[in-house]
Amino acid sequence: MDRIEWHDLPATTRAAVERHTGPVATAETAPHGVMSRLACTVHTPSGRAFVKGTRYNDPQAWVYRHEAKVTQAAPRAARVLWEVDAGGWLLWGYEYVDGRHPDLSPGSADIPPLVRTLTVLSEASWPEALNKKPLHTRWAGFLPEDVPAGLQGRGLAHTDMSPHNMLVTLDGDLLLLDWALSCPAPAWADAALTIPRLIAAGHTPQQAEMIARQVPSYRAADPATVTTFARTVYAAWENWERTRPMPHRAALTAAARGWMTHRDDCLMQLGGKLLSGGHPELR
């Protein structure tokens, strides 16, 4: 999506924002992300804020409302500060987080805070006042008809575990940004969805699995269900790479293929021993 700059917003919209922030001296458009029509950091005498949103008549405007409501309920997320509806635009102000995107490569000091955040997130329940298709419904075209019960969880899942959606703060905490794709899912879904990201960053599938297993809900998940999940992730990402190609998708699809192959190979080697707890990486 083409981004609009702060100074190109209608004057009435900018004035409505400045009633919350104070006068905006400068604004920097966000370099990452593909969804928001406006996404920028504004600098004011009272500090900085992150502003995102779209035109009022945008068919995707509901996504921004949903994101703001989920973010208010989500752990390890930037705070929602205000909402503006003015000049034909819907904008939300978020707490500016001073931090950097994490390094997910092997040996990185950012891996422990990532595990802590995944653990905290896995303990959060979906806010039932918010209606959103659960992950197993979103992926219905890639799942078997008889969806395993373990894939029908009601945890609060972010589902877009790109390092561009993560910030490591000056205190060493890892926060998650951009909750637009959040939905109900198994408690372990985000830990599982982080595995292809770790593989893409240089981990072997075995190493990535061992990191995910530090999250108790992932460690306790049914191995066969997680393997079905891995197959589904690969099927979905491979389809999107073909039908909606983007520069980053080939590497992620390859990583998802590696994870799926690893789990399938282990299943083939272990056969019936898997369900009796015979393989530490898949228990």
Side-chain angles (χ1 to χ4, degrees):
M1 178 180 292
D2 292 335
R3 287 270 166 84
I4 188 173
E5 301 291 330
W6 163 259
H7 56 75
D8 291 326
L9 288 171
T12 53
T13 307
R14 286 184 277 118
V17 169
E18 290 179 327
R19 283 195 284 272
H20 294 280
T21 65
V24 173
T26 60
E28 301 164 353
T29 297
H32 301 295
V34 295
M35 293 184 63
S36 297
R37 185 76 167 127
L38 175 85
C40 65
T41 299
V42 296
H43 297 252
T44 75
S46 60
R48 290 174 285 184
F50 186 75
V51 183
K52 68 187 302 184
T54 191
R55 290 189 174 92
Y56 183 85
N57 60 359
D58 186 338
Q60 295 298 308
W62 69 270
V63 173
Y64 298 86
R65 295 188 185 94
H66 166 80
E67 178 181 13
K69 290 176 180 177
V70 173
T71 302
Q72 289 170 333
R76 302 296 174 96
R79 292 180 296 120
V80 181
L81 303 176
W82 45 261
E83 176 183 345
V84 158
D85 179 352
W89 282 78
L90 291 172
L91 300 178
W92 282 263
Y94 289 83
E95 169 190 19
Y96 179 83
V97 178
D98 197 358
R100 57 175 176 78
H101 298 304
D103 172 9
L104 301 187
S105 64
S108 169
D110 295 337
I111 299 299
L114 170 64
V115 171
R116 290 195 294 271
T117 290
L118 290 172
T119 299
V120 170
L121 183 55
S122 72
E123 297 167 352
S125 298
W126 180 257
E128 294 298 341
L130 300 182
N131 293 322
K132 188 68 181 291
K133 286 182 181 179
L135 190 61
H136 72 273
T137 302
R138 182 193 298 176
W139 285 353
F142 306 103
L143 281 165
E145 285 189 22
D146 186 14
V147 178
L151 287 180
Q152 301 178 40
R154 301 296 295 179
L156 196 166
H158 184 283
T159 81
D160 189 5
M161 304 308 291
S162 165
H164 291 311
N165 291 335
M166 306 174 185
L167 283 180
V168 179
T169 70
L170 300 179
D171 294 331
D173 292 327
L174 188 145
L175 301 186
L176 295 174
L177 312 174
D178 293 336
W179 291 79
L181 297 180
S182 58
C183 67
W188 45 267
D190 282 330
L193 287 166
T194 302
I195 290 174
R197 303 286 180 171
L198 292 167
I199 295 170
H203 296 263
T204 66
Q206 295 91 332
Q207 290 169 336
E209 283 266 2
M210 293 305 291
I211 291 170
R213 279 175 44 78
Q214 295 178 50
V215 178
S217 62
Y218 184 84
R219 189 166 63 247
D222 173 64
T225 301
V226 177
T227 299
T228 298
F229 188 87
R231 292 169 180 163
T232 302
V233 171
Y234 171 67
W237 289 6
E238 190 275 336
N239 176 271
W240 297 335
E241 183 192 348
R242 285 187 291 104
T243 60
R244 292 179 281 169
M246 296 183 70
H248 67 283
R249 282 192 168 146
L252 286 180
T253 301
R257 183 189 304 113
W259 180 35
M260 177 190 70
T261 300
H262 165 67
R263 293 198 66 92
D264 283 344
D265 286 349
C266 288
L267 283 173
M268 291 178 63
Q269 293 169 13
L270 294 170
K273 294 181 181 180
L274 175 65
L275 294 181
S276 62
H279 196 287
E281 290 180 5
L282 298 186
R283 281 205 302 271

mmCIF file of all heavy atoms in Angstrom, residues 3 47 52 105-106 121 160 210 219 225 249 255 270:
data_model
loop_
_atom_site.group_PDB
_atom_site.id
_atom_site.type_symbol
_atom_site.label_atom_id
_atom_site.label_comp_id
_atom_site.label_asym_id
_atom_site.label_seq_id
_atom_site.Cartn_x
_atom_site.Cartn_y
_atom_site.Cartn_z
ATOM 1 N N ARG A 3 2.060 4.745 0.976
ATOM 2 C CA ARG A 3 1.939 5.520 2.203
ATOM 3 C C ARG A 3 1.695 6.984 1.888
ATOM 4 O O ARG A 3 2.181 7.523 0.886
ATOM 5 C CB ARG A 3 3.226 5.385 3.021
ATOM 6 C CG ARG A 3 3.389 4.018 3.694
ATOM 7 C CD ARG A 3 2.760 4.029 5.075
ATOM 8 N NE ARG A 3 2.605 2.701 5.625
ATOM 9 C CZ ARG A 3 3.548 2.032 6.258
ATOM 10 N NH1 ARG A 3 4.733 2.543 6.399
ATOM 11 N NH2 ARG A 3 3.307 0.844 6.745
ATOM 12 N N GLY A 47 6.994 14.924 23.522
ATOM 13 C CA GLY A 47 7.588 13.617 23.244
ATOM 14 C C GLY A 47 7.152 13.081 21.890
ATOM 15 O O GLY A 47 6.701 13.828 21.016
ATOM 16 N N LYS A 52 -1.040 5.722 13.301
ATOM 17 C CA LYS A 52 -1.355 4.887 12.143
ATOM 18 C C LYS A 52 -2.849 4.935 11.883
ATOM 19 O O LYS A 52 -3.651 5.218 12.781
ATOM 20 C CB LYS A 52 -0.896 3.446 12.363
ATOM 21 C CG LYS A 52 -1.656 2.695 13.420
ATOM 22 C CD LYS A 52 -1.054 1.330 13.704
ATOM 23 C CE LYS A 52 -0.964 0.429 12.504
ATOM 24 N NZ LYS A 52 -0.473 -0.913 12.830
ATOM 25 N N SER A 105 19.145 -14.537 15.211
ATOM 26 C CA SER A 105 20.128 -15.513 14.762
ATOM 27 C C SER A 105 20.659 -16.347 15.929
ATOM 28 O O SER A 105 20.506 -15.979 17.098
ATOM 29 C CB SER A 105 21.280 -14.806 14.049
ATOM 30 O OG SER A 105 21.975 -13.953 14.953
ATOM 31 N N PRO A 106 21.276 -17.481 15.647
ATOM 32 C CA PRO A 106 21.801 -18.345 16.713
ATOM 33 C C PRO A 106 22.767 -17.598 17.630
ATOM 34 O O PRO A 106 23.616 -16.832 17.171
ATOM 35 C CB PRO A 106 22.521 -19.457 15.943
ATOM 36 C CG PRO A 106 21.799 -19.518 14.629
ATOM 37 C CD PRO A 106 21.444 -18.097 14.310
ATOM 38 N N LEU A 121 2.572 -14.244 26.435
ATOM 39 C CA LEU A 121 1.482 -14.180 25.464
ATOM 40 C C LEU A 121 0.677 -15.474 25.460
ATOM 41 O O LEU A 121 -0.554 -15.455 25.312
ATOM 42 C CB LEU A 121 2.044 -13.891 24.073
ATOM 43 C CG LEU A 121 1.038 -13.726 22.933
ATOM 44 C CD1 LEU A 121 0.010 -12.652 23.265
ATOM 45 C CD2 LEU A 121 1.764 -13.376 21.645
ATOM 46 N N ASP A 160 1.640 -12.863 13.515
ATOM 47 C CA ASP A 160 2.550 -12.301 12.504
ATOM 48 C C ASP A 160 3.889 -12.038 13.182
ATOM 49 O O ASP A 160 4.226 -10.900 13.512
ATOM 50 C CB ASP A 160 1.971 -11.023 11.916
ATOM 51 C CG ASP A 160 2.772 -10.513 10.716
ATOM 52 O OD1 ASP A 160 3.714 -11.224 10.294
ATOM 53 O OD2 ASP A 160 2.474 -9.420 10.219
ATOM 54 N N MET A 210 13.816 -26.436 19.766
ATOM 55 C CA MET A 210 14.253 -26.420 21.159
ATOM 56 C C MET A 210 14.004 -25.057 21.800
ATOM 57 O O MET A 210 13.708 -24.971 23.000
ATOM 58 C CB MET A 210 15.733 -26.806 21.251
ATOM 59 C CG MET A 210 16.011 -28.259 20.864
ATOM 60 S SD MET A 210 15.021 -29.456 21.803
ATOM 61 C CE MET A 210 15.742 -29.272 23.442
ATOM 62 N N ARG A 219 5.601 -26.855 24.588
ATOM 63 C CA ARG A 219 6.181 -28.115 25.054
ATOM 64 C C ARG A 219 5.086 -29.137 25.368
ATOM 65 O O ARG A 219 5.276 -30.340 25.165
ATOM 66 C CB ARG A 219 7.055 -27.860 26.285
ATOM 67 C CG ARG A 219 7.867 -29.050 26.735
ATOM 68 C CD ARG A 219 8.947 -28.649 27.717
ATOM 69 N NE ARG A 219 8.411 -28.086 28.954
ATOM 70 C CZ ARG A 219 8.568 -26.814 29.331
ATOM 71 N NH1 ARG A 219 9.227 -25.966 28.570
ATOM 72 N NH2 ARG A 219 8.063 -26.383 30.470
ATOM 73 N N THR A 225 -0.674 -32.819 16.493
ATOM 74 C CA THR A 225 -1.385 -31.575 16.171
ATOM 75 C C THR A 225 -0.408 -30.504 15.717
ATOM 76 O O THR A 225 -0.663 -29.765 14.764
ATOM 77 C CB THR A 225 -2.181 -31.087 17.393
ATOM 78 O OG1 THR A 225 -3.117 -32.091 17.777
ATOM 79 C CG2 THR A 225 -2.936 -29.804 17.078
ATOM 80 N N ARG A 249 8.782 -13.503 0.907
ATOM 81 C CA ARG A 249 8.025 -14.740 1.086
ATOM 82 C C ARG A 249 8.788 -16.000 0.708
ATOM 83 O O ARG A 249 8.563 -17.062 1.285
ATOM 84 C CB ARG A 249 6.705 -14.656 0.321
ATOM 85 C CG ARG A 249 5.678 -13.811 1.054
ATOM 86 C CD ARG A 249 4.287 -13.923 0.506
ATOM 87 N NE ARG A 249 3.347 -13.306 1.458
ATOM 88 C CZ ARG A 249 2.259 -12.658 1.115
ATOM 89 N NH1 ARG A 249 1.946 -12.530 -0.164
ATOM 90 N NH2 ARG A 249 1.463 -12.148 2.039
ATOM 91 N N ALA A 255 11.824 -21.791 4.821
ATOM 92 C CA ALA A 255 11.980 -22.099 6.244
ATOM 93 C C ALA A 255 10.822 -22.960 6.738
ATOM 94 O O ALA A 255 11.023 -23.920 7.498
ATOM 95 C CB ALA A 255 12.070 -20.810 7.051
ATOM 96 N N LEU A 270 10.068 -42.495 13.893
ATOM 97 C CA LEU A 270 9.586 -42.975 15.185
ATOM 98 C C LEU A 270 8.316 -43.801 15.088
ATOM 99 O O LEU A 270 8.038 -44.609 15.964
ATOM 100 C CB LEU A 270 9.348 -41.784 16.124
ATOM 101 C CG LEU A 270 10.612 -41.015 16.511
ATOM 102 C CD1 LEU A 270 10.248 -39.732 17.218
ATOM 103 C CD2 LEU A 270 11.498 -41.862 17.401
#
